[in-house]
DNA sequence: AATAATCTCAGTCAAAAGTCTGAGGAGGAC
DNA sequence: GTCCTCCTCAGACTTTTGACTGAGATTATT
């Protein structure tokens, strides 16, 4: 028994093309073709594919949303995203939605087949550009704009960390054994140095730059 | 001219093995072998390889540290990690250090060759297990405690997003064309539903769970 | 010894945030 | 129609936050 694949794409040519070269593979069996995410939900329910090969840009229900819902209702089904160059913005959301693979449409046929085979085994396989984005997402922001934080004194960093834990001034004063007045002074200095207007913005800044363990 | 590769590993057998099957490739040229990170630094300086194929566990200077320093002094040199470990304690630091590829030592020869060729072109290529870790690192916390957010209405989610942008109630009221009173009502409901006490905690919650693009 | 930075605290205020109660209108569900 | 949810807004009120000024104590620097 081969790997049961459901094709999801709103362009007929793409569907035809995929069917054409996927059906030459002995271990792959195309069990259906649908043209949007909503139809994909139904098809998965009825036909129980192993793999859903899905486009991102589609009418009615896009690939990210469809992936998200699919993984909720049928976590065992593996989703492989097959997208075009243009929507790189959707790589991260798609992966977060639970996609097992990510390839671009200019992919070599045998690479796509390989991606499907790996996905069927639960292995992740991404296009280098997708991996690239994933890695830069990981490593960016971390060492980036940490310039302003260097202005903070030791104590101010401690207070900022408390802020990122969601504590109020009173709570901070308790935990650091200082008065609330002093906390306020520190907070004011922090806001000024980080060039933000309130503690929420300070917390956001700290988290985006991953200044502490918690973020 | 082939791809110039420097081998870095403290085990002689590994070096011999790598040289053996990499030298059968016409487009790959082994220009040196060293046995620790420190020696690698010198060798890179002198021999200007395109690729450094590096072990992680080494005496004197380990692979992560060596990668970090290499990318600082010679960012154009691509580092491919060849490790026997696929756990996150090794993979994540190595990638953050700037590795372009990551493969396990049980890799098929032709996959390793492929990894080197892709790395030479600047493309990232990781072992599926490494990709897996990278993704789970990204998506952890994400799909987790998103239960509470489902209680939020459409409008409340919009307001929460504004909060994660660091806006005040007044700014939100301007941008959403509603009164500040209404914003306050929404905020109160948001805090109650998310079971937090103030907007800062709400922002932290939203960012940790990556509820919006910005986070 | 003198300067500068840091940490601490206080008082005063204004502004912002958040709670609570109440309520009208719009739209969907039954 | 009726029920229910959502979005909207208001008034009254308390709490929290943050700005600004001023100042004593400690510590490191020069």
């Amino acid at each position: 028994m081969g790997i049961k694949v459901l094709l999801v794409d709103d362009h007929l040519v793409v569907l035809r093309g995929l069917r054409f070269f996927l059906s030459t593979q002995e271990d792959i069996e195309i069990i259906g073709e649908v043209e949007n995410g909503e139809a994909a939900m139904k098809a998965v329910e009825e036909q129980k594919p192993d793999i859903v090969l899905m486009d991102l840009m589609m009418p009615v229900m896009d690939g990210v949303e469809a992936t998200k819902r699919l993984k909720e209702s049928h976590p065992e089904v593996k989703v492989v995203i097959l997208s075009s160059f243009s929507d790189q913005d959707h790589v991260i959301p798609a992966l977060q939605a639970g996609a097992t693979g990510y390839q671009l449409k200019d992919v070599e046929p045998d690479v796509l087949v390989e991606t499907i085979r790996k996905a069927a085994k639960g292995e992740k396989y991404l296009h280098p550009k997708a991996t690239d984005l994933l890695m830069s997402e990981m490593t960016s922001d971390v060492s980036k704009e940490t310039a302003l934080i260097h202005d903070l004194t030791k104590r101010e960093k401690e207070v900022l960390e408390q802020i990122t834990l969601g504590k109020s001034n009173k709570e901070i004063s308790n935990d650091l054994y200082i008065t609330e007045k002093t906390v306020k002074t520190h907070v004011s200095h922090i806001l000024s140095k980080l060039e933000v207007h309130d503690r929420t913005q300070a917390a956001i800044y700290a988290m985006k730059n991953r200044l502490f363990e918690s973020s």
Side-chain angles (χ1 to χ4, degrees), chain A residues 6-19:
Chain A
L6 173 69
L7 305 181
V8 188
D9 199 305
D10 56 326
H11 299 300
L12 200 61
V13 264
V14 177
L15 289 178
R16 287 290 164 273
L18 287 173
R19 176 180 276 279

Side-chain angles (χ1 to χ4, degrees), chain A residues 24-77:
Chain A
T24 64
Q25 306 295 320
E26 288 189 352
D27 57 344
I28 292 182
E29 180 191 357
I30 313 278
I31 62 165
E33 303 174 1
V34 295
E35 56 186 11
N36 64 60
E38 204 167 275
M41 298 291 294
K42 281 185 204 162
V44 167
E45 186 62 49
E46 293 164 4
Q47 317 203 35
K48 308 284 183 191
D50 300 309
I51 304 285
V52 177
L53 190 58
M54 180 142 48
D55 188 23
L56 275 187
M57 296 270 284
M58 290 181 299
V60 187
M61 188 194 295
D62 70 79
V64 174
E65 185 61 27
T67 302
K68 211 176 289 179
R69 297 206 195 170
L70 260 180
K71 295 303 285 188
E72 271 178 23
S73 53
H74 301 84
E76 76 286 358
V77 176

Side-chain angles (χ1 to χ4, degrees), chain A residues 11-150:
Chain A
H11 299 300
L12 200 61
V13 264
V14 177
L15 289 178
R16 287 290 164 273
L18 287 173
R19 176 180 276 279
F20 177 73
F21 75 70
L22 285 182
S23 57
T24 64
Q25 306 295 320
E26 288 189 352
D27 57 344
I28 292 182
E29 180 191 357
I30 313 278
I31 62 165
E33 303 174 1
V34 295
E35 56 186 11
N36 64 60
E38 204 167 275
M41 298 291 294
K42 281 185 204 162
V44 167
E45 186 62 49
E46 293 164 4
Q47 317 203 35
K48 308 284 183 191
D50 300 309
I51 304 285
V52 177
L53 190 58
M54 180 142 48
D55 188 23
L56 275 187
M57 296 270 284
M58 290 181 299
V60 187
M61 188 194 295
D62 70 79
V64 174
E65 185 61 27
T67 302
K68 211 176 289 179
R69 297 206 195 170
L70 260 180
K71 295 303 285 188
E72 271 178 23
S73 53
H74 301 84
E76 76 286 358
V77 176
K78 307 292 191 300
V79 177
V80 173
I81 301 292
L82 188 62
S83 112
S84 21
F85 265 112
S86 48
D87 36 36
Q88 295 193 17
D89 296 349
H90 303 101
V91 174
I92 307 286
L95 294 178
Q96 284 180 340
T100 304
Y102 194 106
Q103 287 294 346
L104 296 183
K105 282 187 178 169
D106 66 344
V107 72
E108 296 294 325
D110 50 345
V111 173
L112 180 58
V113 171
E114 189 62 21
T115 306
I116 293 174
R117 291 205 186 104
K118 281 190 194 295
K121 287 189 284 183
E123 291 185 2
K124 313 239 162 59
Y125 193 63
L126 308 180
H127 190 280
K129 290 213 168 137
T131 307
D132 220 332
L133 281 172
L134 203 59
M135 285 179 61
S136 63
E137 177 75 6
M138 274 238 58
T139 55
S140 73
D141 289 350
V142 178
S143 57
K144 232 177 64 183
E145 276 290 337
T146 28
L148 297 174
I149 220 247
H150 293 314

Side-chain angles (χ1 to χ4, degrees), chain A residues 108-194:
Chain A
E108 296 294 325
D110 50 345
V111 173
L112 180 58
V113 171
E114 189 62 21
T115 306
I116 293 174
R117 291 205 186 104
K118 281 190 194 295
K121 287 189 284 183
E123 291 185 2
K124 313 239 162 59
Y125 193 63
L126 308 180
H127 190 280
K129 290 213 168 137
T131 307
D132 220 332
L133 281 172
L134 203 59
M135 285 179 61
S136 63
E137 177 75 6
M138 274 238 58
T139 55
S140 73
D141 289 350
V142 178
S143 57
K144 232 177 64 183
E145 276 290 337
T146 28
L148 297 174
I149 220 247
H150 293 314
D151 295 340
L152 298 187
T153 67
K154 197 172 178 178
R155 198 56 158 171
E156 284 162 357
K157 284 179 195 166
E158 286 177 34
V159 173
L160 178 56
E161 181 167 17
Q162 298 292 311
I163 290 177
T164 65
L165 296 176
K167 295 187 185 174
S168 68
N169 289 338
K170 183 169 300 202
E171 289 170 328
I172 296 174
S173 77
N174 271 322
D175 296 355
L176 296 188
Y177 304 108
I178 51 182
T179 65
E180 197 182 337
K181 291 285 181 190
T182 305
V183 176
K184 282 187 175 188
T185 305
H186 288 316
V187 172
S188 273
H189 291 158
I190 291 169
L191 301 185
S192 162
K193 288 181 179 177
L194 295 188

